[in-house]
Amino acid sequence: MTQASSVDYRTLELKLLNIWIPAVGARTAADFGVKQFETFLAEEIAWVLPELDIKKETIENIFEHHFVEQDHQSSFDTQPPFQLSEAILTGSLSEGIYLPSIEPPDMDFMCVLKNIMFSKKDQEDGCLSLRDDTPFVYAFITNKATQYLWREFYDDAANKEGVYRLSSRKLKEKLHENYQKSGRTIFPFLDNEQLQEVTEGAALTVRASKPSCSLVYYAIVLTKKIFSQPIAELLDTETLEFLHSAFNSDTFFNRKLFSSDIVLSIFCKGWPSCANEWIIRKRLWPDIHSVNKITQGGFHIVPKSSPDGDFRLSFSCAEKMLIKTLIPLQHKVMTAFKAVVKYYQNTCSSNLKEIISSYHLKTIAFWHFEKSSQESWTVGTLVHHLITLLEELAEALRMQSLPMYFMPKFNLLQDVDDPEITLELMEKISQLSQNFSAMSKAVSIYTP
């Protein structure tokens, strides 16, 4: 390694160490608001909280109703069957792997339907057409009472006497219809006329084209409501200058929420038999306690059609629990890996964004963590792990093969149909994995 390379290597190492890790594991909008409040502001104003006797529940209630008011109930009926059980925050925000400075984070929710659920016995009886080689399933209802309740949501073409198959299309159409009728907004601090609704894949996507305020500005407004006197009289000059610079800098503090995916889902107890291999395979991560906890937590199916089924298995909650088991150094490298690839999507190839998604990158990271011992994660090995992740991405592109983490028989890159493009991407990623300066630049832009 040349002297210049050595300097670049050390610079990259320092950049990795300085990556900020957001709060991990938020389940609701209120939970996310509280966690980020604590992350951004609590240290700055901690000295006033005890004096004012402010409780966590008070802050949580404020965020629940003002910060990101998710009135999901208005998109569902008040009477069975199309009712909401709970809205679970999913995606990079809840996992703590969003890129704070440039990529606007989405506020994605998985809305679990009430009045329907698939038990372990239902699955054993074939109500979900589980296969080892695909995450797509058909959902059949055999319970007489449930059959009658959901009769308006069956696939007419597929139904036979005594066999009732749910239609993902009809469920999504109902969600879209209810949302339009409700007249509610996902983000109360955005101008209503700036919102656009489109249906994509499994979700109802709500996009905002012109946000009107920053996350921290809104948090400060809400904080004022909590305090019994103006916040300017409570905070010292240094703190106020810090907050003022935050509002006017191009960091996470001024980044906005641009969209929200509202994904319907149905809860299923136990663990899908097609993913049993994940339970028993040899691994260095996660530990057996975490495996047991994840598999006992159940899974979901979401409406997304394919030739193999009308629904897709969702392991969103399991993935969130996996990320919570990471040590900080692993979390930093995972975030850096995403940052480097995202930043160079346009410079590497215009096709990279279409072929490689955040889910692909998360999958590669999971496979790498599984075969890496905890002892191998030190300050001195961070760059090595980042390079390895990029190399494994390049290899996946070369082979056009990326096994789904929970179901390895399913290839996430099976639909890539242009070998020349993937080979070109492979070469670009390989070159990037040896360019310490370029990686440092990408990481710097995506850190506060």
Side-chain angles (χ1 to χ4, degrees):
M1 184 181 298
T2 65
Q3 184 175 357
S5 298
S6 178
V7 172
D8 290 340
Y9 183 98
R10 179 56 180 163
T11 299
L12 176 57
E13 185 176 78
L14 291 174
K15 296 290 185 184
L16 294 177
L17 283 173
N18 288 328
I19 286 181
W20 170 74
I21 300 178
V24 183
R27 187 175 179 87
T28 66
D31 189 22
F32 172 77
V34 170
K35 289 180 183 296
Q36 302 314 315
F37 175 89
E38 293 171 346
T39 300
F40 289 126
L41 300 177
E43 291 184 5
E44 295 296 326
I45 61 176
W47 57 277
V48 302
L49 297 180
E51 296 180 16
L52 298 174
D53 192 27
I54 297 176
K55 299 179 180 179
K56 179 180 177 181
E57 291 77 12
T58 303
I59 299 175
E60 185 171 299
N61 288 334
I62 291 290
F63 278 107
E64 177 67 44
H65 293 98
H66 298 282
F67 179 56
V68 186
E69 182 181 358
Q70 292 289 342
D71 188 9
H72 294 293
Q73 291 287 355
S74 63
S75 295
F76 292 82
D77 296 342
T78 57
Q79 299 296 323
F82 198 77
Q83 293 177 285
L84 176 66
S85 173
E86 64 173 329
I88 303 173
L89 182 64
T90 62
S92 61
L93 277 185
S94 63
E95 295 168 342
I97 55 173
Y98 58 89
L99 303 174
S101 292
I102 292 183
E103 181 187 65
D106 294 336
M107 182 69 77
D108 299 336
F109 286 87
M110 186 165 63
C111 292
V112 185
L113 286 169
K114 197 175 181 180
N115 307 308
I116 187 170
M117 180 269 295
F118 290 98
S119 66
K120 292 181 181 180
K121 188 177 186 306
D122 290 333
Q123 297 170 54
E124 292 170 357
D125 292 343
C127 292
L128 296 182
S129 57
L130 299 171
R131 289 168 41 185
D132 290 344
D133 59 345
T134 174
F136 292 95
V137 301
Y138 290 108
F140 300 90
I141 299 180
T142 57
N143 179 277
K144 295 296 183 182
T146 308
Q147 281 180 348
Y148 181 78
L149 193 63
W150 289 91
R151 63 191 181 279
E152 297 180 10
F153 296 92
Y154 294 147
D155 188 327
D156 300 326
N159 292 332
K160 302 177 182 178
E161 186 176 353
V163 179
Y164 300 92
R165 196 176 90 189
L166 274 178
S167 167
S168 63
R169 177 182 59 82
K170 289 186 177 181
L171 289 173
K172 288 192 293 183
E173 287 176 351
K174 177 65 172 174
L175 175 65
H176 195 275
E177 177 186 346
N178 280 16
Y179 179 81
Q180 288 182 317
K181 287 181 179 179
S182 70
R184 301 294 300 222
T185 65
I186 294 298
F187 308 112
F189 47 87
L190 301 179
D191 298 330
N192 291 353
E193 63 271 16
Q194 300 295 340
L195 295 177
Q196 303 171 355
E197 301 91 24
V198 294
T199 301
E200 297 178 351
L204 166 69
T205 301
V206 183
R207 300 197 183 281
S209 58
K210 188 178 180 181
S212 58
C213 72
S214 74
L215 289 175
V216 164
Y217 175 78
Y218 207 80
I220 290 296
V221 170
L222 299 179
T223 303
K224 288 182 180 180
K225 293 184 179 182
I226 299 174
F227 292 148
S228 58
Q229 53 185 304
I231 193 171
E233 297 178 13
L234 294 169
L235 303 183
D236 57 25
T237 303
E238 183 178 350
T239 300
L240 288 173
E241 289 177 354
F242 165 80
L243 294 174
H244 177 75
S245 64
F247 300 151
N248 295 285
S249 63
D250 191 24
T251 67
F252 174 79
F253 299 110
N254 265 348
R255 304 317 302 172
K256 291 87 174 175
L257 297 171
F258 276 82
S259 69
S260 176
D261 281 348
I262 307 172
V263 182
L264 284 176
S265 73
I266 299 173
F267 177 70
C268 307
K269 288 188 175 181
W271 188 252
S273 58
C274 54
N276 279 340
E277 181 272 344
W278 182 76
I279 301 176
I280 61 175
R281 71 176 178 235
K282 294 182 178 179
R283 55 161 58 84
L284 297 175
W285 171 91
D287 58 39
I288 188 62
H289 171 74
S290 298
V291 171
N292 290 337
K293 185 176 180 181
I294 288 170
T295 54
Q296 291 169 8
F299 62 101
H300 297 81
I301 59 173
V302 299
K304 189 171 186 180
S305 299
S306 89
D308 296 314
D310 235 9
F311 295 83
R312 182 182 175 113
L313 297 174
S314 172
F315 297 98
S316 295
C317 293
E319 290 163 2
K320 187 189 303 186
M321 294 174 70
L322 278 175
I323 292 175
K324 285 184 69 175
T325 70
L326 298 178
I327 62 174
L329 293 180
Q330 290 174 314
H331 203 138
K332 288 175 182 290
V333 170
M334 187 176 187
T335 302
F337 176 47
K338 182 178 179 181
V340 170
V341 175
K342 289 288 184 181
Y343 178 70
Y344 286 100
Q345 275 181 334
N346 294 329
T347 57
C348 285
S349 169
S350 59
N351 299 295
L352 182 58
K353 188 176 297 185
E354 298 177 5
I355 294 176
I356 298 298
S357 67
S358 295
Y359 188 74
H360 291 119
L361 302 181
K362 181 165 61 176
T363 299
I364 288 174
F366 283 165
W367 281 114
H368 179 67
F369 296 149
E370 184 174 286
K371 61 189 179 185
S372 302
S373 67
Q374 294 294 295
E375 293 75 18
S376 72
W377 288 89
T378 66
V379 172
T381 62
L382 290 184
V383 175
H384 165 75
H385 283 292
L386 176 57
I387 292 172
T388 301
L389 285 173
L390 290 167
E391 290 174 343
E392 289 175 352
L393 171 59
E395 179 63 11
L397 289 167
R398 185 182 74 82
M399 299 294 294
Q400 291 188 70
S401 176
L402 178 56
M404 187 176 177
Y405 182 64
F406 292 106
M407 296 178 59
K409 290 185 179 180
F410 184 74
N411 178 16
L412 296 176
L413 295 178
Q414 67 178 13
D415 294 330
V416 178
D417 54 7
D418 193 332
E420 291 186 5
I421 291 178
T422 54
L423 287 176
E424 176 191 350
L425 291 178
M426 180 270 294
E427 293 176 359
K428 296 288 186 180
I429 295 296
S430 294
Q431 295 171 6
L432 182 58
S433 69
Q434 300 303 317
N435 190 334
F436 304 137
S437 178
M439 286 188 279
S440 291
K441 182 179 180 181
V443 173
S444 296
I445 290 180
Y446 282 113
T447 54

